[in-house]
Amino acid sequence: MSGRGAPGPRCGLLLALLLALGALPRVRGVEEQSGGASQGFQVVSFKWHHVKDPYIIALWILVASLAKIGISSLALAAWSGAHSVPHWAFWDTGVNLSTKVSSVCLLRTPLLGAKDAGRFLPVIYWTDQDIAQAPPSAASTCAQAPQSAPSHAFVCIQVGTRGRGRVALPESENAKTATRQLQTPVSKTAAVGFVPKTPPVADLGQAYRKALGNNAFLVCEASGATGPVEAEAPAAVPRAILLNGVSVTGPPASCSSHALCAIGSPSFHLSHKVTSVVPESALLIVLGLVLGGIVWAADHIASFTLTPTVFFFYLLPPIVLDAGYFMPNRLFFGNLGTILLYAVVGTVWNAATTGLSLYGVFLSGLMGDLKVGLLDFLLFGSLIAAVDPVAVLAVFEEVHVNEVLFIIVFGESLLNDAVTVVLYNVFESFVTLGGDKVTGVDCVKGIVSFFVVSLGGTLVGVVFAFLLSLVTRFTKHVRIIEPGFVFVISYLSYLTSEMLSLSAILAITFCGICCQKYVKANISEQSATTVRYTMKMLASGAETIIFMFLGISAVNPRIWKWNTAFVLLTLVFISVYRAIGVVLQTWVLNRYRMVQLEIIDQVVMSYGGLRGAVAFALVVLLDEQKVKERNLFVSTTIIVVFFTVVFQGLTIKPLVQWLKVKRSQHREPKLNEKLHGRAFDHILSAIEDISGQIGHNYLRDKWSNFDRKFLSKILMRRSAQKSRDRILNVFHELNLKDAISYVAEGERRGSLAFIRSPSTDNMVNVDFSTPRPSTVEASVSYLLRENVSAVCLDMQSLEQRRRSIRDTEDMATHHTLQQYLYKPRQEYKHLYSRHELTPNEDEKQDKEIFHRTMRKRLESFKSAKLGINQNKKAAKLYKRERAQKRRNSSIPNGKLPMESPVHNFTIKEKDLELSDPEEAPDYGAEMGGGIEFLANVTQDTTATDSPSGIDNPVFSPDEDLSALSRVPPWLSPGETVVPSQRARVQIPCSPGNFHRLAPFRLSSKSVDSFLQADAPEEQPRTTLPESTHM
Amino acid sequence: MGSLGSHAARIPDADSIRRETGFSQASLLRLYHRFRALDRNKKGYLSRMDLQQIGALAVNPLGERIIDSFFPDGNLRLDFPGFVRVLAHFRPIDDEDPGIRDPKEPEPLNSRMNKLRFAFQLYDLDRDGKISRHEMLQVLRLMVGVQVTEEQLESIADRTVQEADEDGDGAVSFLEFTKSLEKMDIEQKMSIRILK
């Protein structure tokens, strides 16, 4: 056994698991003995033999993986002390692997491998030479930089042992020179980080941050002596990349996701045109029928059928896990009440009415002579009643109804499993017992068992989710097997609850739902991608197989027994009763829901009650000895499934279109929506307070408090607790998309040469200090974007790029907003982890706002008393703001609408600026805009912004704002434009400018120019048609 | 529930308020109790102080502005009809009575437009019908923590204004405001279920 030699607590864990594994067969023996003796309906039974094989396999995989954790962490402990690998790598500073390192890897991944990384990344090289003194050597050091850093994206210079951030301008100059000497197509000068050789780590982080803003790379070298710099610094430093002496933690960029992606889009998927009309599931069934026909024609034996074992143990779990793991939790729990009602009451209603009505018709003699009793009908009703998650998912994913509708139907289909299982088991055992022997006790047992099955299943799921989260917390050193845990442990939850005859679907659903947050935070970016693709692949594959096998299984004359009345009536009854049930329940629900379910929604819900493979598998499970008319049931079920999936699946899309059901729209997030949405939340909670109502978020508040205080602390890596953010995920994805499209562009052109083309002169800035906290990606994509604008001639791709750039930018700003906007009451408490926030952030926030409010009140009180008029106050306020602005900003504000010529300004001009920092403020206007409007601006701004203007009581902020307003120069060249105004304000007479470090100034310039370069790209979007841009 | 009628009778002008705001009898009664409870020294109206006493409002970034919106035109007193009128903006829109409404009648207070107008007024301090960049910046400053630097705030404000600004005047008019939010489900987002 692998863990044999390793002592320590981990081995104890291992040993325990092994013991458990060894004990299981014995348990199984016990169970088999008792199994024969059991009579009647049992609330809980223990069915080891059902799940034996997959269980053992899964368990062994788990044990082996756990062993690997133990071993690797032991080995790592031994290894990491001494080693120092002279090799490029990214060092996980222990804080936030996903944002820092993997964002870099992120770009590497889709690109052409590590070799090309340097072309895209702002490769930051650091040398411990003081370049001021030794430019040549710096250059040569740069030249010796790893080969993966060839042409672009340069150069970050470190200044040897000078200590805190005193990177003076000359040095930067030299850095630049060095760069230029190094590379023929000179391209990149960028922000500068500094790292003292043996840094007092905490200082390092802070100083660094001060120097470069929130937003830069920290590059430092851990020479062997320094060892891994421990984790406090990175708390202040958003990203650190440690070069040159490195403990490598994560696996370097993995291409697995791509491979998986390729596998994950199976060739089953038929052409788009067909599937846009016909749902894929229906096509697959037909395909299956054809295949089945061929097989049957060949040897007249139905050799491939969908057996319940295969279905329940191998095909269903991936689909349900996928559903649970990617469940939109907020939506799900927000509608949980509705979902539960439909799932429980609705399913019982369907089962009872269908069964009873069929029995009634049977009694009337319409069906002819059948060997069935009431219980058989109820059994049939119970298995045909449940809406099938697989079918619903398959059809609804293509229909794109709005989220609420989708989550209700889909959630119902998932959660009704407990009801189905119970009803099925109850009636099956009743049928086995025989109708006359069923006692009241059995019925009570049945009801009890519903709670046991559903709650038990949920509990099993939650417990395993807890385990899973806990395990992934410790997989830092074995990233490779992380994804495995997700699958194995959730599968074990399924098998365990199956073994205990609890609701397996509930178990794995809740396992997915509960663990997703913690697992996603814990595992590395690559693992997350792997999990995502693998899960989708498995689910999609399983779904495909299910539908095909449904078709194939139907081609088997032995199971067919036709009874027209029975089949037709079943179809009628399930549709009609479903509709009635939905209408009744919705009527009740609408009294309590704010978002009303309208008639159209109800129609779709009734119509979307698809039956699928679960019903089929259940009916096949029936024992012909006990249920005499099994074959009739089987064939009817097949007909029902085919009818619902094929006919309803086919018609639901036109129906949805015809009824004009609100569709879900995928739209770009807009800054306005984000900001105002947050404002609305604040408004609502204020109104709730004023009107004295208790908000409906009470439970969620409680839960999120609990989660924040305890669960997240236990289940998440410390690093993840701080930095994981939902927005960040979106952000990553967007950037990934960016990068991919970038590469696609390169491939389209046959090479990536366009990135290196001379016109990349304007790629001056790696944008290290734009006000975008913790977004490596942002800077990277800016880098990507800039050179493109000059090169790309293809309108379409340009447009495409622009869109993605806009996305990225918006996301960056969104991110800032998301991160720093005060949370409305009902929200800030349930956010489990935020970048750089202390656990008691809400208190801090409260205090902040409270102070602000009080100060304001005090002021207004004073002013009221002193009789200062409003205007004056406003003016004063404004003045203060401006003063602060002056103090705070050394950058002429970004986002200035400038003309495109900006792209063409050359390095020479930059040199000019660099050499004379005092001129920096004017630089923006000078560079970007035409002189002609600059002149206007100066006039205007002196008029409005003169000191006297501010103190003038008549002065209203509004007027001034009109001066502030930005109009693209090409639209109205005479209009005022801010840059020069602000530039004037910021003429560096204010001492505030000087406490900044030189690198900051340097970088601020790059930022600025970048922002200018950026402006024309976004301006035409709203104001001008595309063509003007080119 | 038998005493309901007598309670309702105590509310002055209950009927006309109901007609204007669309609140149900029960909600109105509940709000009346709330109004009375907020009115500390039983003066029959609310002053700013009364609202400022609500603890949660002091930690709400927009709390002060929302209080302002209860006291339009520099009023110092808030009577019950005024109180209810503001709250009526947040009544969920009921779908029973669309279309039948007399076009001459004013739009109900809880219409989408009025909800938006309420929000808009929170931004538009000087009441010139436009959210200027400066006003946007002020709101942002209220809503954003101190961790964000002034430059960041400014660039966000710029962006936000730019995004919505269609006619290029550097400010967001009400029309542009509604346009920028046209995809958003305001009816749902700006409603409180309990205020039916």
Side-chain angles (χ1 to χ4, degrees), chain B residues 55-73:
Chain B
L57 271 189
V59 295
N60 191 318
L62 296 178
E64 201 69 14
R65 292 198 178 204
I66 288 159
I67 294 179
D68 284 343
S69 68
F70 276 88
F71 298 91
D73 313 323

Side-chain angles (χ1 to χ4, degrees), chain A residues 671-672 676 682 684 689-690 771 809-810 820-822 852 857 878 881 885 893 895 961 966 982, chain B residues 34 52 56 60 64 123 132 134 141-143 145-146 148 151-152 154 158-160 163 188-189:
Chain A
L671 208 49
N672 271 290
H676 301 321
H682 286 307
L684 279 198
D689 293 332
I690 289 177
E809 271 202 351
D810 283 355
Y820 293 117
L821 276 175
Y822 289 131
R852 205 184 270 176
R857 279 183 194 169
Y878 186 61
E881 272 155 20
K885 221 184 283 170
N893 191 17
K895 307 287 180 320
L961 285 162
R966 277 91 200 264
R982 300 202 53 215
Chain B
R34 177 64 179 170
Q52 284 169 355
N60 191 318
E64 201 69 14
Y123 291 83
S132 60
H134 179 58
R141 204 171 289 142
L142 284 176
M143 285 176 36
V146 283
V148 180
E151 302 101 84
Q152 288 175 324
E154 285 184 22
D158 282 343
R159 260 199 101 78
T160 318
E163 194 184 87
Q188 191 182 325
K189 194 107 211 247

Side-chain angles (χ1 to χ4, degrees), chain A residues 660-930:
Chain A
K660 299 194 178 62
V661 177
K662 243 189 280 169
R663 304 290 203 88
S664 70
Q665 310 146 313
H666 187 73
R667 57 171 197 264
E668 296 173 31
K670 282 168 69 187
L671 208 49
N672 271 290
E673 289 178 1
K674 186 114 196 163
L675 176 65
H676 301 321
R678 192 50 74 78
F680 293 159
D681 287 347
H682 286 307
I683 293 171
L684 279 198
S685 63
I687 293 294
E688 262 181 18
D689 293 332
I690 289 177
S691 64
Q693 317 280 357
I694 296 170
H696 57 278
N697 299 305
Y698 181 75
L699 266 182
R700 192 162 59 191
D701 259 17
K702 286 276 169 215
W703 164 257
S704 48
N705 272 334
F706 174 72
D707 175 55
R708 198 163 40 84
K709 280 189 188 137
F710 303 105
L711 277 184
S712 289
K713 287 205 175 130
I714 300 173
L715 296 181
M716 271 192 215
R717 289 189 188 152
R718 209 175 304 126
S719 52
Q721 284 171 35
K722 279 187 196 143
S723 57
R724 198 67 192 177
D725 185 39
R726 222 176 311 141
I727 289 293
L728 218 58
N729 294 345
V730 184
F731 193 69
H732 276 200
E733 275 163 32
L734 276 172
N735 279 298
L736 191 62
K737 222 165 59 191
D738 254 16
I740 289 173
S741 71
Y742 192 61
V743 170
E745 172 70 19
E747 274 165 3
R748 200 179 59 75
R749 291 152 178 268
S751 84
L752 289 167
F754 69 102
I755 301 160
R756 266 168 275 146
S757 68
S759 58
T760 45
D761 270 350
N762 53 14
M763 288 172 40
V764 221
N765 26 60
V766 194
D767 174 39
F768 280 102
S769 63
T770 16
R772 280 165 185 86
S774 70
T775 49
V776 192
E777 303 87 339
S779 52
V780 171
S781 61
Y782 294 145
L783 175 72
L784 299 186
R785 163 255 314 266
E786 285 163 81
N787 40 38
V788 169
S789 59
V791 190
C792 181
L793 293 173
D794 177 348
M795 282 309 288
Q796 202 177 356
S797 68
L798 188 71
E799 168 57 21
Q800 180 189 349
R801 168 140 323 102
R802 182 176 306 144
R803 207 179 303 127
S804 64
I805 286 160
R806 208 168 65 216
D807 277 0
T808 323
E809 271 202 351
D810 283 355
M811 284 318 294
T813 324
H814 283 201
H815 180 64
T816 310
L817 273 182
Q818 176 76 16
Q819 200 170 6
Y820 293 117
L821 276 175
Y822 289 131
K823 314 289 178 305
R825 184 189 42 193
Q826 68 261 48
E827 217 176 285
Y828 64 70
K829 288 188 177 150
H830 72 264
L831 291 170
Y832 57 91
S833 79
R834 292 227 155 264
H835 197 64
E836 291 188 336
L837 293 187
T838 50
N840 56 353
E841 187 231 348
D842 47 341
E843 289 158 30
K844 221 172 67 196
Q845 166 179 336
D846 285 356
K847 219 182 277 170
E848 237 172 79
I849 304 176
F850 185 75
H851 282 176
R852 205 184 270 176
T853 313
M854 285 305 154
R855 209 177 327 132
K856 195 152 167 253
R857 279 183 194 169
L858 198 68
E859 260 169 33
S860 68
F861 176 71
K862 264 192 221 153
S863 71
K865 239 186 172 161
L866 300 175
I868 299 173
N869 71 30
Q870 285 300 104
N871 268 341
K872 181 123 184 183
K873 207 179 77 189
K876 251 174 143 177
L877 198 69
Y878 186 61
K879 186 176 163 194
R880 208 173 53 217
E881 272 155 20
R882 295 219 48 103
Q884 190 167 0
K885 221 184 283 170
R886 233 169 287 162
R887 244 177 286 126
N888 282 352
S889 67
S890 61
I891 320 175
N893 191 17
K895 307 287 180 320
L896 306 181
M898 290 296 163
E899 282 174 350
S900 339
V902 132
H903 291 294
N904 304 327
F905 73 85
T906 58
I907 200 97
K908 214 197 275 172
E909 285 164 10
K910 268 173 283 153
D911 280 347
L912 197 71
E913 255 96 56
L914 290 176
S915 59
D916 187 0
E918 305 300 275
E919 272 179 26
D922 279 328
Y923 149 93
E926 212 176 300
M927 294 322 305

